[in-house]
Structure formats: C-alpha cells, structure tokens
Amino acid sequence: MKLDASVAAVITGGASGLGEATARALAAAGVKVGLFDLNEEKGEALARELGGVFCKVNVTSDADVDAGFAKSRAAIGQERILVNCAGIGNAIKTASRSKEGEIKHFPLDAFDKIIQINLVGTFRCIAKSAAGMLTLAPLEDGERGVIINTGSVAAQDGQIGQAAYSASKAGVAGMTLTIARDLSSEGVRVNTILPGIFATPLMNAAPENVKAALSASVPFPKRLGNPPEFASLALEMCRNGYFNGEVVRLDGAIRMPPR
Ligand SMILES: NC(=O)c1ccc[n+]([C@@H]2O[C@H](COP(=O)([O-])OP(=O)(O)OC[C@H]3O[C@@H](n4cnc5c(N)ncnc54)[C@H](O)[C@@H]3O)[C@@H](O)[C@H]2O)c1
C-alpha cells in the first residue's frame, strides 16, 4: 500500500509509546491519523500536532469503539490502516505462598481484565475496522486495507507472573493467520509484531540499574528497542503487499528468562 494523504489510519493506544511512534511515522508519510486512547490530554495534543483526530476510546467498550470509528471516519475518512497498540500488563503468580505461609491464587477478575483489553479489545477493533474497510473500493492491486497488531515476546516466552499477559498476547498471535484468511477474499492483510523490550514511557520510568540490566540481556544490540524501530516495521507491513498472516518478533534476539 502506498502511504500518502489518500490513506487514513486508526492507531489504538496512539497517545503513547509504540502507538505514538507509529502515528508519528504514518503522519510523516502523509497518512491522516486517528488516535484511539484513554489518555485524553496526551492524545488531543498529539492529534493536534499531527493534524489528525483524537477519539477517547476504551477498547473494552463496544459503544466507545463504535463512536471512535464514527468520529474518526467523519474527520479523516474510512481508515485503510488499523494499528492496534492499546494494551496493559500485570504480574501475579498463578498460585503463591507468602513469607507468612498465606496461600493465594491469581484473582480471576485481574486475569479477565488483561484478556478483555489486550485480546478482546484488539479483536473488537479489528472486526469493526475490517467491516468498514469492506466498504472501500479496492486499490489497483485488489488491496482494501491492512491491520497490524501488537503482541509481545511474552506470547512465546512469558515470564513468571505473566500468565494473563502471555495468554492475551498469544491469543493475538494465534488469531493473526486466521483473521488474515477470513479477510483474504476482501483484500485486507493482517500481521502482528511481537516486541521485545522497548523504551516506552513505562520502561523509561524504571530505575537506571534495571534498564542497564535489561539492556545487557539483549544479545545485540545491547539496548532497549526504540519506538521508531517498531514504527518502521509497522510501516513496512503496510507498504509491502506480500506481508500477510505473519507474526514477527522484533527483539534484538532476546529470549526472556523465567524472571
Ligand atoms: N514497551 C514494551 O517493551 C512492550 C513490549 C512488548 C509488548 N508491548 C505492547 O505494546 C503495546 C504498547 O505498549 P507501550 O509500551 O507503547 O505502552 P504505553 O503505556 O506507552 O502505551 C499504551 C497506550 O494504550 C492506552 N490504553 C491502555 N488501555 C487502554 C484501553 N483499554 N483502551 C484504549 N487505550 C488504552 C494507554 O492509555 C497508553 O496510551 C501494548 O500492547 C504492550 O503490551 C510493549
């Protein structure tokens, strides 16, 4: 897909980190951007800077996502690109014993919350965006749109405490080929990126010694990933018409240890 002002994109989690970097890169290529996020202040400011539109959307809400697509499509047109970056994590062991001998298990509401945001929220945006893309005329090569999801290397090597997070991200990875097949007859491609450890606001807030240890654990290059490197792969997945149904690690060859 040629990226220019004739194309509109929606980026969920677009107010921060990997989503923000992707929105910046798409806007720099001329694409009109719609940002879905909970963070109104950062989202509004970035949308203003990029000449796009901000939509306050919780991806767990059908009504929010419907209203977000309606607002974005009215402002910048039907999106041909959807990039799903909205997501959160938690760290709780499946069952554990405290020093005092108290035994606890992973609370199911905490497990469900991660699944609802990272997995169901991603699918909600995919399904509603894909339905919109089907109304578009195909481009010269028969393509109507492209969808990019954000998993995590935790989909494959989840660390201690990441049962919910790794399940949600493995779900995103697992449905990628299926959805690419579902949408293949309509010319919509679907790919997923599994990032390693990236220097986003969450990670930047960690103490220097923690960041140094994480950087040292990456085979090469020995540093955290930079959000523009994520954006660069996302844009390649948009531009390269043969990129479809793929789940790609972007991680400096890291394999996460148990903890
Ligand atoms: N940073 C990393 O090292 C890393 C590694 C692997 C995977 N990821 C994944 O990449 C994605 C982006 O992470 P990031 O590091 O840029 O984090 P981030 O916190 O900087 O950005 C995530 C954005 O998603 C938004 N968001 C959270 N819940 C939402 C909801 N319910 N509805 C709408 N928006 C919501 C937040 O407000 C935030 O702006 C996440 O899915 C994360 O799991 C990040």
Side-chain angles (χ1 to χ4, degrees):
M1 184 182 293
K2 193 161 170 277
L3 300 182
D4 58 27
S6 68
V7 176
V10 165
I11 303 103
T12 79
S16 176
L18 304 181
E20 174 184 347
T22 306
R24 287 185 181 281
L26 285 167
V31 172
K32 291 174 280 186
V33 294
L35 310 178
F36 285 14
D37 207 293
L38 294 171
N39 190 330
E40 208 162 4
E41 204 183 319
K42 280 191 73 184
E44 286 286 9
L46 184 63
R48 219 173 299 122
E49 184 190 332
L50 301 180
V53 58
F54 172 73
C55 311
K56 188 169 185 196
V57 169
N58 185 335
V59 297
T60 64
S61 158
D62 250 353
D64 272 21
V65 172
D66 285 341
F69 280 124
K71 181 176 173 185
S72 171
R73 289 166 187 171
I76 61 170
Q78 166 64 49
E79 72 282 357
R80 276 198 193 272
I81 298 172
L82 170 71
V83 184
N84 283 301
C85 287
I88 63 162
N90 64 13
I92 309 171
K93 279 192 187 178
T94 301
S96 61
R97 190 189 312 272
S98 73
K99 281 194 188 99
E100 295 74 36
E102 188 200 349
I103 293 175
K104 289 188 301 196
H105 67 72
F106 201 130
L108 273 294
D109 56 347
F111 189 93
D112 189 53
K113 183 176 177 193
I114 301 293
I115 299 293
Q116 287 302 325
I117 295 172
N118 294 359
L119 178 56
V120 183
T122 294
F123 186 71
R124 175 175 289 110
C125 293
I126 291 174
K128 291 176 186 288
S129 184
M133 289 176 188
L134 264 52
T135 67
L136 287 168
L139 301 168
E140 272 173 18
D141 51 4
E143 186 166 285
R144 283 199 169 79
V146 56
I147 296 169
I148 296 162
N149 306 308
T150 310
S152 163
V153 292
Q156 297 173 343
D157 26 87
Q159 296 188 286
I160 286 173
Q162 287 191 315
Y165 186 68
S166 55
S168 70
K169 297 301 192 177
V172 171
M175 69 185 178
T176 302
L177 178 63
T178 317
I179 300 171
R181 287 172 165 174
D182 281 349
L183 302 178
S184 58
S185 59
E186 299 284 354
V188 177
R189 294 182 292 112
V190 186
N191 293 294
T192 293
I193 301 174
L194 307 183
I197 313 167
F198 273 71
T200 58
L202 189 84
M203 211 39 92
N204 289 336
E208 282 308 319
N209 60 331
V210 172
K211 283 192 276 185
L214 287 171
S215 300
S217 70
V218 184
F220 185 80
K222 289 210 167 292
R223 59 170 176 79
L224 305 189
N226 293 316
E229 293 171 323
F230 174 94
S232 168
L233 179 55
L235 263 67
E236 176 61 14
M237 285 175 165
C238 293
R239 288 188 169 119
N240 190 328
Y242 208 62
F243 218 133
N244 194 15
E246 265 306 330
V247 177
V248 181
R249 290 178 72 118
L250 185 66
D251 64 2
I254 202 169
R255 297 296 177 269
M256 302 304 285
R259 72 170 86 232

